[in-house]
Amino acid sequence: MKTLIYADTNSYGVFHLGFNTSSLSMFAEIYDHVIYYATPSSVNIVKHNLGGKFPKNVTYRRIWVNEPKNKFEKMLHHLLQLFFSISIVLLGSKKKVIYFNYAPLIAIPVVNKLSKLLHRKILITCHCELDFLADNNFRNLNRFSIKTLKLFKSSDYKWSNSLYFSCLGEHVKKNAKNVLSNLAWNKLISFEHTWIFDRQVENKDLNKEKIQVGFVGSISEEKWLDSIFYLRNNLPLSKFDITAIGRVFCNPELLNKNNIRFIKEAEKEFISSEMIKFELSKLDFVVFLYPEESFKMTASGAIFDAINAEKYVLALHNDCFDSLMHRTKFGTLFHNVKEIVEFLNNLENLNIEEIDYKVVKENLSPSSEVLKLKSELERIFFIQ
């Protein structure tokens, strides 16, 4: 019997909910038995996202990691991650594949040594870690995590023969070749980010007099604020309402002065998934203004929220969005913000192609990627 240990030693609450749910579903389709280690606050929400129950071949085993809110809690979080990551590897066996859905940076050197000594087959998914390496920006990382990241660039470090890494998308693997050492890059496999979508979507027509446009994602003064203001200032107030759906890290008065609505309390705390769904249900278009250099080393989760809500997406070209749009059509991509403004101001004269969201959701579902992931796992002998 093919068994996989799905180890989530990092998540709490809704953190990485979309990826955790969809990846667990994919591995449950590939392996006969999946043993799922995670903290209760994460498990309960993943289970809810799966319709209230796990696949029959998934067995849950409880661990606990805290939600880090200050320096002390961050240190505790890393120590718990280290403890449970090592424990799970020790409790594994040669016949079981161990999958970490989030790279436990502080534990990777020890996990690598244990993989060599105990012949453990281990796969670790990288998310923002490759971004840190590409930008050479280790801000907010502890020195142990920084030391681990630098191993990915080392041409001397010896990785275990049975330890591999995965990234979310072939575009990430291609770009990572310029960042990782040959030794580390040869340890990298890829599979696409997928999503478990709602079957029924409720849309609210609260203001038919104006076109409702929204941004999804956190907003800071460093993060496309100028582009948002350009869009707002070039779309007439009489025809367009604009809403920011996400955490507000900039001075909220900047948004108020520019007639951009944001969710109450968003300047103080992150927005719940239920609130994001509710706000998305009011929109006609969802706009993403991430610049071209964005998402070279990561995938976007926010764009799946827009697709889940069945909203037409207007976004700037980047490697991630280009790759997704190649897989299935769910909107229009542009080269600059000016083109998006022209598109919106000329809606009356455009013949916008209707999107078949049933097809889109099928093309981005876990089942759509299972064969590719299975092929990658067979290539590295994690399925025999």
Side-chain angles (χ1 to χ4, degrees):
M1 183 170 68
K2 302 191 299 290
T3 300
L4 176 125
I5 296 173
Y6 186 108
D8 185 352
T9 59
N10 183 75
S11 300
Y12 44 84
V14 298
F15 185 85
H16 272 209
L17 172 62
F19 175 75
N20 296 346
T21 308
S22 61
S23 58
L24 180 65
S25 296
M26 281 195 287
F27 283 108
E29 286 193 46
I30 294 170
Y31 286 87
D32 300 317
H33 184 208
V34 175
I35 303 170
Y36 177 32
Y37 285 90
T39 197
S41 67
S42 178
V43 166
N44 292 336
I45 298 173
V46 168
K47 189 175 182 179
H48 175 76
N49 219 32
L50 286 168
K53 59 182 180 181
F54 292 123
K56 292 181 180 180
N57 61 333
V58 174
T59 303
Y60 167 56
R61 292 184 184 171
R62 175 175 176 164
I63 60 173
W64 183 79
V65 291
N66 64 313
E67 179 180 354
K69 295 180 179 179
N70 55 48
K71 191 173 182 179
F72 171 77
E73 290 178 353
K74 283 182 180 179
M75 182 174 68
L76 176 61
H77 182 84
H78 288 308
L79 290 174
L80 289 168
Q81 190 179 48
L82 175 66
F83 171 76
F84 284 115
S85 297
I86 293 172
S87 299
I88 289 168
V89 174
L90 289 173
L91 291 170
S93 71
K94 294 179 182 179
K95 294 183 179 180
K96 296 175 183 176
V97 173
I98 301 171
Y99 171 67
F100 288 95
N101 67 340
Y102 196 92
L105 286 179
I106 195 170
I108 283 177
V110 181
V111 167
N112 184 53
K113 289 180 181 178
L114 290 174
S115 175
K116 290 179 184 178
L117 290 170
L118 303 175
H119 306 287
R120 299 289 191 259
K121 293 180 178 179
I122 298 172
L123 178 64
I124 301 172
T125 287
C126 298
H127 295 274
C128 56
E129 296 81 13
L130 296 177
D131 251 345
F132 294 142
L133 285 169
D135 296 339
N136 208 29
N137 181 358
F138 305 125
R139 185 176 56 184
N140 298 326
L141 291 178
N142 62 69
R143 60 191 179 97
F144 299 105
S145 296
I146 294 171
K147 189 174 180 180
T148 297
L149 280 175
K150 290 181 177 179
L151 297 177
F152 286 85
K153 288 191 171 185
S154 171
S155 57
D156 299 318
Y157 187 71
K158 304 299 182 185
W159 295 102
S160 166
N161 290 333
S162 55
L163 184 144
Y164 286 83
F165 297 93
S166 59
C167 60
L168 300 180
E170 195 62 30
H171 73 280
V172 177
K173 184 177 179 180
K174 180 181 176 182
N175 292 330
K177 193 170 181 65
N178 300 320
V179 175
L180 305 180
S181 69
N182 286 333
L183 288 172
W185 190 81
N186 287 330
K187 286 284 180 182
L188 190 64
I189 71 169
S190 74
F191 60 92
E192 299 296 336
H193 198 319
T194 60
W195 205 261
I196 293 180
F197 296 98
D198 293 336
R199 292 183 179 179
Q200 292 183 328
V201 175
E202 180 182 355
N203 289 316
K204 302 182 181 299
D205 295 323
L206 299 183
N207 188 346
K208 293 187 177 180
E209 295 179 359
K210 292 185 180 183
I211 296 167
Q212 303 297 314
V213 178
F215 305 96
V216 180
S218 59
I219 297 176
S220 64
E221 293 185 28
E222 301 85 25
K223 197 173 182 181
W224 37 283
L225 200 57
D226 289 342
S227 296
I228 292 174
F229 292 162
Y230 178 87
L231 196 77
R232 171 69 281 181
N233 293 334
N234 286 277
L235 295 175
L237 287 168
S238 60
K239 290 181 63 178
F240 294 91
D241 282 335
I242 295 185
T243 302
I245 303 174
R247 182 77 158 85
V248 175
F249 289 104
C250 67
N251 183 345
E253 280 305 307
L254 292 173
L255 300 180
N256 287 328
K257 289 178 181 178
N258 284 274
N259 297 296
I260 297 171
R261 176 182 167 269
F262 61 92
I263 299 169
K264 186 179 179 181
E265 304 294 313
E267 74 278 19
K268 298 177 182 177
E269 59 188 15
F270 284 96
I271 310 304
S272 69
S273 57
E274 291 79 11
M275 179 59 73
I276 290 173
K277 285 184 180 181
F278 175 75
E279 291 293 337
L280 280 169
S281 72
K282 305 176 189 178
L283 301 181
D284 297 301
F285 296 95
V286 179
V287 177
F288 293 92
L289 298 178
Y290 297 101
E292 184 180 358
E293 61 272 16
S294 303
F295 299 116
K296 286 188 176 297
M297 297 292 175
T298 57
S300 168
I303 200 164
F304 286 101
D305 286 321
I307 296 168
N308 186 54
E310 300 185 0
K311 301 300 177 180
Y312 197 93
V313 170
L314 308 176
L316 299 179
H317 283 282
N318 62 52
D319 288 352
C320 177
F321 292 174
D322 286 347
S323 175
L324 282 171
M325 201 69 79
H326 180 72
R327 289 163 66 189
T328 190
K329 172 84 171 179
F330 53 85
T332 302
L333 299 180
F334 303 86
H335 292 98
N336 53 58
V337 184
K338 184 179 178 181
E339 289 183 357
I340 296 179
V341 169
E342 291 173 353
F343 178 94
L344 289 169
N345 279 325
N346 197 37
L347 285 174
E348 294 175 357
N349 301 316
L350 295 176
N351 184 19
I352 300 175
E353 179 184 353
E354 188 173 346
I355 305 296
D356 187 339
Y357 285 100
K358 182 179 179 181
V359 172
V360 171
K361 291 179 177 182
E362 286 174 355
N363 289 341
L364 299 176
S365 69
S367 295
S368 71
E369 189 62 15
V370 164
L371 289 178
K372 164 74 183 307
L373 176 56
K374 187 176 180 181
S375 175
E376 287 283 81
L377 293 168
E378 287 172 341
R379 183 174 64 82
I380 60 175
F381 303 105
F382 278 27
I383 298 177
Q384 291 179 306

